[in-house]
Amino acid sequence: MSFFPEIKNRVPYEGPSSKNPLAFKFYDAKKKVGGKTMAQHLKFAVCYWHTFKGTGADPFGGGSLQREWNSGSPMEVAHKTMEAAFEFISKLGVNYWCFHDRDIAPEGATIAETNKQLAEMVEIAGVLQKSTGIKLLWGTANLFSHPRYTHGAATNPDPCVFAQAAAQVRRALDATVELGGTGYVFWGGREGYTSLINTNLKQEREQLAALMHMAVDYAKKIGFKGKFFIEPKPKEPSQHQYDFDAATAIGYLNEFGLADHFAMNVEANHATLATHSFEHDLVVASSAGKLGSLDINRGDQTCGWDTDQFPTNIYDAVAAMTVILKQGGLKYGGLNFDAKVRRGSFDTADLFHGHIGGMDTFAKGLLIADAMLRDGVLTENIKTRYAGWKSPMGRKILGGKTSLPELEKWADAQGEPPLISGRQELLENILNEYILGIR
Ligand code: XUL
Ligand code: CO
């Protein structure tokens, strides 16, 4: 039986002149770009939670999306959902998926029952991975939906709740390793506070680090060869999250001795909630050698919450692919959608439209970023702008080999420095020329 009859075999690549809404215009998996195929550059992952478990619910109303796979007992639903997921991902031609433990298997009455149900679904996922060739990008534990986590999981005032979270992380790591995932994500939705009036912030941050250290130790024991990722977000559902943005999370890793094991999973909509651009957080992470993976959804500029929309913004895609190309790719991570269709997008075809549009946007972004980097117009400009730092005094400053008095003397000898234009408007025009295809 088919859950997605609108696609018979696979979404085809038909090129930019195609008017077929269920075909790719730019994403051509086998096309070579700078020595690698598009599929190798663009390690897209379909997220299980929004795509297959999403109901369209919002704070003002329950589910609106009726899915054929969403009926029966909780375990029957789990089985049908898994079947639907692998059918969809195969038909889309995406090579990776991501999940939370509770997306793929429901929680039971006891930890033992929960573990049994999870193990059953992991086994099935393993079989489907083998038969389809689809791989796991990363796994994670849902430490935010159950009421016990209302005041935090690792950062809960009650160590019994911490232990529940530890039990979940253990099994989610087991599942990730069994399914060959190359990443494991910590997103701290409830690891934060709603008010400092009842919060010991110092201790909560230490508690979270304790869980992360245990995860690192356990992962080593079970043979995890991948990377841990923190997915920064400033707020929602907590009023303030401890992993606010990439800079905060990198500082946190350094403070608690976790930096060797972790990188960032930067999400577009989280960066904008932190009043940054997506590009900002990508560049902050990458320049610290800590850009591991991306969640590529977008927000809506007119509202201040996490709308998790499919990516259609070509500027963001060009910026993201530029950062990724410059750092030589994503070894352990990829481009996870983490996007959901709107509450009113009732049809399964809408799921295809969202993903196809996102993949085409990033494929075009890759082509533009590659062309710009090869031509070097923007990179050359930056090189020229900072050329003074290659001078003997520039090197001395960066090497820590000078002092305030010596620099005072040198400044005096140089005289007033000239005013040099940053040429921002010109460079923005050049970027547009690439995007509009006239360069
Ligand atoms: C929530 C969010 C999560 C993480 C995984 O804003 O982005 O779905 O990606 O827990
Ligand atoms: Co995310």
Side-chain angles (χ1 to χ4, degrees):
M1 121 163 234
S2 167
F3 292 104
F4 303 97
E6 56 274 56
I7 297 287
K8 254 214 180 84
N9 297 310
R10 183 166 281 218
V11 175
Y13 166 74
E14 291 183 359
S17 61
S18 167
K19 296 281 176 282
N20 176 1
L22 291 173
F24 295 115
K25 317 294 181 299
F26 297 105
Y27 182 69
D28 181 5
K30 293 200 178 86
K31 183 187 167 80
K32 283 260 172 85
V33 180
K36 282 205 267 183
T37 63
M38 272 199 170
Q40 287 167 328
H41 280 291
L42 302 160
K43 292 166 67 186
F44 291 117
V46 171
C47 81
Y48 208 92
W49 51 103
H50 289 317
T51 307
F52 309 112
K53 303 295 289 179
T55 62
D58 70 13
F60 302 94
S64 61
L65 309 175
Q66 285 158 13
R67 302 298 193 206
E68 256 186 83
W69 55 86
N70 198 18
S71 67
S73 71
M75 278 307 276
E76 277 165 9
V77 170
H79 280 266
K80 278 192 279 179
T81 307
M82 185 72 76
E83 218 181 292
F86 278 84
E87 182 190 337
F88 178 83
I89 304 168
S90 298
K91 286 184 166 176
L92 189 61
V94 158
N95 294 329
Y96 298 89
W97 66 299
C98 298
F99 69 87
H100 299 85
D101 50 357
R102 298 296 178 259
D103 303 331
I104 59 171
E107 188 155 343
T110 60
I111 288 182
E113 192 188 349
T114 301
N115 291 347
K116 197 170 148 262
Q117 291 177 171
L118 181 62
E120 184 177 322
M121 294 315 300
V122 167
E123 201 183 323
I124 290 169
V127 171
L128 287 168
Q129 283 195 166
K130 222 171 182 181
S131 63
T132 57
I134 293 164
K135 298 193 219 52
L136 177 66
L137 187 67
W138 52 256
T140 187
N142 178 332
L143 302 179
F144 44 88
S145 293
H146 195 283
R148 78 169 75 90
Y149 298 127
T150 301
H151 299 302
T155 59
N156 199 285
D158 182 352
C160 289
V161 177
F162 182 102
Q164 289 273 349
Q168 253 186 267
V169 170
R170 176 197 176 172
R171 301 295 170 171
L173 273 166
D174 286 344
T176 302
V177 170
E178 193 170 329
L179 294 172
T182 52
Y184 183 89
V185 164
F186 278 94
W187 168 65
R190 304 220 187 254
E191 313 294 24
Y193 59 80
T194 49
S195 172
L196 286 173
I197 206 157
N198 61 4
T199 301
N200 184 343
L201 177 145
K202 182 175 187 297
Q203 182 175 312
E204 288 199 358
R205 291 176 75 250
E206 287 164 7
Q207 289 174 208
L208 180 57
L211 184 70
M212 288 177 173
H213 273 291
M214 279 186 251
V216 168
D217 292 346
Y218 182 74
K220 204 194 257 167
K221 264 190 211 126
I222 62 169
F224 179 53
K225 300 270 180 298
K227 199 83 176 158
F228 284 95
F229 301 130
I230 287 187
E231 184 178 321
K233 187 176 183 183
K235 58 185 172 185
E236 196 198 3
S238 292
Q239 179 265 340
H240 180 99
Q241 273 185 224
Y242 295 133
D243 54 9
F244 193 95
D245 60 3
T248 309
I250 291 166
Y252 181 86
L253 295 177
N254 289 329
E255 185 179 343
F256 290 99
L258 287 156
D260 287 349
H261 310 283
F262 278 78
M264 297 297 119
N265 177 36
V266 173
E267 174 165 323
N269 204 165
H270 295 178
T272 49
L273 278 178
T275 68
H276 301 309
S277 61
F278 188 24
E279 183 177 16
H280 169 93
D281 253 26
L282 291 170
V283 172
V284 167
S286 182
S287 49
K290 290 264 168 270
L291 177 60
S293 203
L294 282 69
D295 276 8
I296 57 175
N297 54 30
R298 82 185 144 95
D300 182 310
Q301 280 181 339
T302 64
C303 79
W305 71 85
D306 200 7
T307 58
D308 285 334
Q309 289 170 243
F310 281 90
T312 53
N313 185 318
I314 189 68
Y315 290 91
D316 276 350
V318 170
M321 293 318 300
T322 302
V323 177
I324 292 170
L325 287 176
K326 274 189 180 168
Q327 72 165 35
L330 300 164
K331 185 166 172 206
Y332 298 100
L335 308 174
N336 172 40
F337 274 98
D338 202 358
K340 59 187 176 209
V341 291
R342 297 305 87 193
R343 178 172 166 77
S345 299
F346 301 121
D347 303 336
T348 47
D350 297 313
L351 290 172
F352 281 107
H353 295 149
H355 286 88
I356 289 170
M359 289 164 76
D360 268 344
T361 303
F362 270 76
K364 186 69 183 162
L366 166 67
L367 294 170
I368 295 169
D370 174 67
M372 287 201 311
L373 287 172
R374 268 189 292 108
D375 296 353
V377 193
L378 302 183
T379 37
E380 272 312 309
N381 173 69
I382 291 180
K383 242 197 216 159
T384 312
R385 212 164 166 233
Y386 291 84
W389 290 91
K390 299 268 185 251
S391 71
M393 186 50 92
R395 288 179 200 278
K396 247 175 126 176
I397 297 171
L398 289 175
K401 301 230 156 52
T402 181
S403 63
L404 298 182
E406 189 187 5
L407 283 169
E408 182 186 42
K409 220 167 121 199
W410 188 65
D412 197 31
Q414 298 296 305
E416 185 60 30
L419 296 176
I420 301 170
S421 169
R423 295 269 182 265
Q424 185 176 329
E425 295 77 8
L426 166 67
L427 297 165
E428 285 169 349
N429 292 349
I430 292 174
L431 171 64
N432 261 5
E433 286 163 19
Y434 278 98
I435 286 177
L436 298 170
I438 54 175
R439 237 186 212 263

